[in-house]
Amino acid sequence: MENTNLRQSIANARATGVVSEINLAQKKDKTGKDVITGTVVIKVSDTNSITYRVYASKTTKAGEENPAWAGLQTVMSTYRSIAEVGEVNATRVHVNGQYAPSTYVSQMGVLREGIPQYRTSFFSEVKGEFHPMAEIEVELFIRNIVPEIKDDEETGRKLLNGWINLYNGLEPVTLVVPAEMADGISDYEPGTTAIFFADVVNTETVKEVPVRLGKPRKVVSHVSELVVNGAEEPESEEKGFNQDAMRAAINTYKERIEALKSGDGQVKKAAPSTKTTVAW
């Protein structure tokens, strides 16, 4: 963890839904240890899903069996996905995981900052009452709050930009504040810390575009958003993240970005966006 004297942020990612895809495999890591790795896709609704990245070793650093190991073997051997057996017979699950956004350089050489990712090693089958959902809980150090603008017009929604501190250091986060909460979000000031809850929205729509000759073309659009559904009171100065420590951590983050950008000299700047307008 970066030397900023900052604790890790609360960053949980919970979901309840139907197993859509299981892409797990048991293999050896670089040291020869047994690991289970891959992804599991959870369907939350007809238009929404969440993908969890999975990684677990068979043994802990102390040499004892990892408590997640047996559970993941159960997922691989007994859970059934929509892709395998259809939705009616697929396994219903609840997942407790971590929200772990990542900053990296894409294969096209584009710098991608704070891209949402979700990780877990634990799944539990749901036998009784079933309420599909996907939500994150994040302890956010607020950078700024700006209007969302599309097609040069304000949408009525707000973009809440902030930082979370993870094991590998700071990561930027953008939450979408719906119009009905836009007035209340002004109570949260840049430089303060608060816990926010947000729905995970990952939708795909297909639109047919007519052409002069032949079949209509299908245009696929993806929407990936974290839409605020609630928040706790701002944390006190004593409990919230220290501003001086955050400044130091932000400088370290900027140095990491510069190192990524200079990695092969081919990194291209992403298109400007209101999501990257920051006060911190």
Side-chain angles (χ1 to χ4, degrees):
M1 189 174 179
E2 295 176 1
N3 186 24
T4 58
N5 297 318
L6 293 174
R7 56 182 168 78
Q8 289 189 46
S9 303
I10 296 169
N12 299 318
R14 296 179 285 266
T16 302
V18 183
V19 177
S20 180
E21 299 176 31
I22 300 174
N23 304 299
L24 298 178
Q26 182 174 329
K27 56 182 66 175
K28 300 285 187 182
D29 67 6
K30 294 180 180 179
T31 65
K33 293 182 179 179
D34 290 318
V35 298
I36 293 175
T37 184
T39 61
V40 176
V41 182
I42 307 300
K43 179 180 178 180
V44 179
S45 71
D46 288 340
T47 59
N48 196 19
S49 64
I50 180 171
T51 300
Y52 282 92
R53 295 172 179 256
V54 176
Y55 186 93
S57 59
K58 186 174 183 179
T59 58
T60 65
K61 292 181 179 179
E64 301 176 351
E65 182 164 317
N66 186 341
W69 186 261
L72 289 176
Q73 291 217 313
T74 298
V75 172
M76 295 175 66
S77 62
T78 68
Y79 281 23
R80 294 293 176 259
S81 69
I82 295 174
E84 295 173 303
V85 299
E87 185 167 353
V88 173
N89 296 312
T91 306
R92 297 178 174 186
V93 296
H94 180 72
V95 187
N96 281 316
Q98 298 81 44
Y99 175 58
S102 179
T103 294
Y104 58 91
V105 176
S106 73
Q107 292 181 345
M108 299 297 293
V110 177
L111 178 64
R112 308 289 305 280
E113 296 186 66
I115 302 304
Q117 293 184 2
Y118 311 93
R119 302 182 184 277
T120 192
S121 298
F122 296 95
F123 299 83
S124 56
E125 186 171 358
V126 176
K127 295 289 189 180
E129 202 169 348
F130 184 66
H131 300 289
M133 54 78 74
E135 179 186 75
I136 65 167
E137 174 190 5
V138 289
E139 186 180 23
L140 203 67
F141 182 85
I142 300 171
R143 301 161 74 182
N144 62 15
I145 301 168
V146 297
E148 181 188 56
I149 298 175
K150 291 185 178 179
D151 300 323
D152 296 324
E153 293 186 1
E154 294 189 13
T155 65
R157 305 197 304 179
K158 301 285 188 180
L159 299 180
L160 170 59
N161 297 299
W163 299 99
I164 62 173
N165 192 45
L166 303 177
Y167 179 79
N168 291 321
L170 291 189
E171 286 290 343
V173 174
T174 294
L175 306 180
V176 178
V177 182
E180 61 269 23
M181 295 184 182
D183 290 338
I185 202 65
S186 60
D187 294 338
Y188 296 84
E189 299 180 355
T192 61
T193 306
I195 292 178
F196 294 88
F197 303 90
D199 295 321
V200 177
V201 178
N202 295 306
T203 60
E204 178 180 288
T205 58
V206 180
K207 181 180 179 181
E208 287 194 348
V209 178
V211 295
R212 182 176 180 182
L213 183 66
K215 296 180 180 180
R217 312 307 297 171
K218 291 185 177 180
V219 178
V220 180
S221 59
H222 300 269
V223 175
S224 180
E225 296 180 330
L226 299 169
V227 182
V228 174
N229 62 41
E232 295 185 359
E233 291 288 338
E235 295 178 355
S236 65
E237 289 188 16
E238 292 75 19
K239 184 178 180 182
F241 289 111
N242 177 271
Q243 292 188 357
D244 291 335
M246 285 300 300
R247 288 189 182 93
I250 291 169
N251 286 335
T252 301
Y253 174 84
K254 291 178 179 178
E255 291 172 0
R256 177 157 63 99
I257 293 302
E258 290 304 313
L260 284 173
K261 289 164 61 178
S262 62
D264 60 5
Q266 302 298 316
V267 177
K268 293 173 285 188
K269 291 291 289 183
S273 166
T274 54
K275 291 186 178 182
T276 59
T277 302
V278 298
W280 277 84

